[in-house]
Amino acid sequence: MRLAFLFTALALGLAACGPSQEAAAPAPQQPVSIPEIYQSRVDRGPNGDVIQIPAIRAAYLIDRNRRQTVPYNGTETPGTIVVDPYARVLYHVQPGGQAMRYGVAVGRAGKGFEGRATIARKAAWPSWRPTDNMLKTEPELYGQFAGGLSGGMHNPLGSRALYLYQGNTDTYYRIHGTMDPSSIGKATSAGCIRLFNQDVIDLFEAVPNGTEVVVRSEAESVRMEGPMMETPEGYVVPAVQAQPVIDPAAAPVQATALAPAQPAVDPYAAMMATPTAMPTAAPEPMAMDTTAVTDPFATADAGFVSPVESAVPSW
């Protein structure tokens, strides 16, 4: 009897030293899901040719970049487009205190205009040509584009462009697509207001000519959105989100402002710029043989990868 008791105690002791349950196998990694609106699309180019628009990589679809319906606290009427170059968002105001919000990239020219304008012209796969003033002041930079760039995947305006006018005067302010989706949400060295090609295509269809556009000043942006801070990756977020949590029991420390990240070199810098003076008449764009253009994005098979593009995961 005593021997049986010892065997029982030994068995229980061994059981206590072993694992109480089997270790769970690691869950298989699920592929990152790209929303349907950002999947690849087939579109028709300016000459009716088929253009394949690539899907937007999930790495670029951070919350502030993704198109989404949000509460809107502005006073603009439904149908109005509101551009905030400082918070790097664009709103298409909807009924019921809502707006469709888009993430945008803001080029140097994107902060050169503020106030009200109207969309007087819309173009699918628009062509582009430097202004006469740009050709005159910087011929070594813009001379290669003097003949213009036809619309297509080599063109920095992307799939669609909305042209803003005040009366009959071109403001030279554009809302357009981009061939560099890695730039969305960031500050760039050239261009106006860029959206993902998928976003600008759908916005293009949603707004008619004559739509009012309001471009906020920096003071208006701070009043409506609050102060923003730039992350090390180059995106902007509300400053309240970027503040560190301070233990109230700890000794107070001197707050140090975060230095904004240095913007990545913009491969479009040689293709878009703010004119220093408006020409009396905007020259008409003309098609050209893009094989003569030396810009890395001028030909679809250039194989160029932007510095931002190469810094994110391949998925």
Side-chain angles (χ1 to χ4, degrees):
M1 188 69 172
R2 181 176 177 80
L3 186 60
F5 175 82
L6 290 174
F7 278 128
T8 301
L10 179 62
L12 290 174
L14 291 173
C17 294
S20 58
Q21 60 183 14
E22 292 185 5
Q29 186 175 3
Q30 297 297 321
V32 177
S33 176
I34 298 175
E36 180 65 28
I37 56 174
Y38 293 121
Q39 296 285 351
S40 62
R41 298 189 187 185
V42 175
D43 199 30
R44 289 287 177 181
N47 300 316
D49 49 318
V50 174
I51 295 181
Q52 182 76 38
I53 300 174
I56 303 301
R57 291 170 58 184
Y60 306 144
L61 296 174
I62 63 169
D63 179 69
R64 288 181 64 81
N65 278 358
R66 292 197 306 272
R67 183 199 323 180
Q68 56 191 292
T69 301
V70 298
Y72 185 69
N73 60 353
T75 59
E76 290 80 13
T77 58
T80 306
I81 289 177
V82 177
V83 179
D84 191 323
Y86 302 92
R88 297 179 197 163
V89 290
L90 178 151
Y91 295 102
H92 184 205
V93 182
Q94 306 294 313
Q98 303 287 306
M100 185 67 74
R101 188 183 73 187
Y102 301 80
V104 302
V106 180
R108 180 174 50 195
K111 294 182 179 179
F113 172 83
E114 60 187 47
R116 296 177 179 269
T118 57
I119 296 173
R121 186 162 74 91
K122 298 164 44 175
W125 297 105
S127 55
W128 175 82
R129 180 185 183 274
T131 65
D132 288 344
N133 185 67
M134 294 160 69
L135 291 169
K136 179 180 178 180
T137 57
E138 298 182 88
E140 71 287 350
L141 186 60
Y142 296 109
Q144 61 174 323
F145 305 112
L149 281 175
S150 59
M153 291 294 286
H154 56 276
N155 192 298
L157 293 182
S159 58
R160 302 289 189 275
L162 308 174
Y163 299 80
L164 274 61
Y165 281 66
Q166 290 181 319
N168 295 324
T169 302
D170 188 352
T171 67
Y172 292 93
Y173 198 91
R174 312 285 187 248
I175 298 170
H176 59 89
T178 180
M179 292 299 107
D180 183 14
S182 68
S183 68
I184 300 302
K186 298 180 173 66
T188 63
S189 63
C192 288
I193 299 298
R194 309 180 194 173
L195 289 81
F196 291 127
N197 278 321
Q198 286 87 336
D199 280 346
V200 78
I201 286 174
D202 292 341
L203 182 64
F204 182 95
E205 296 298 329
V207 299
N209 280 333
T211 295
E212 184 177 32
V213 179
V214 177
V215 182
R216 288 176 177 170
S217 66
E218 185 172 7
E220 289 169 333
S221 175
V222 172
R223 186 172 70 249
M224 300 300 294
E225 304 288 334
M228 294 284 164
M229 295 188 71
E230 192 167 78
T231 71
E233 296 78 20
Y235 299 109
V236 292
V237 295
V240 292
Q241 294 182 12
Q243 296 301 321
V245 177
I246 300 175
D247 183 352
V253 296
Q254 181 67 34
T256 302
L258 298 179
Q262 293 297 318
V265 176
D266 187 351
Y268 291 146
M271 304 178 71
M272 297 288 289
T274 308
T276 55
M278 289 188 182
T280 55
E284 279 296 318
M286 295 184 296
M288 69 172 290
D289 181 5
T290 59
T291 58
V293 177
T294 58
D295 187 273
F297 278 151
T299 56
D301 58 351
F304 181 85
V305 178
S306 75
V308 180
E309 176 93 14
S310 61
V312 299
S314 58
W315 48 264

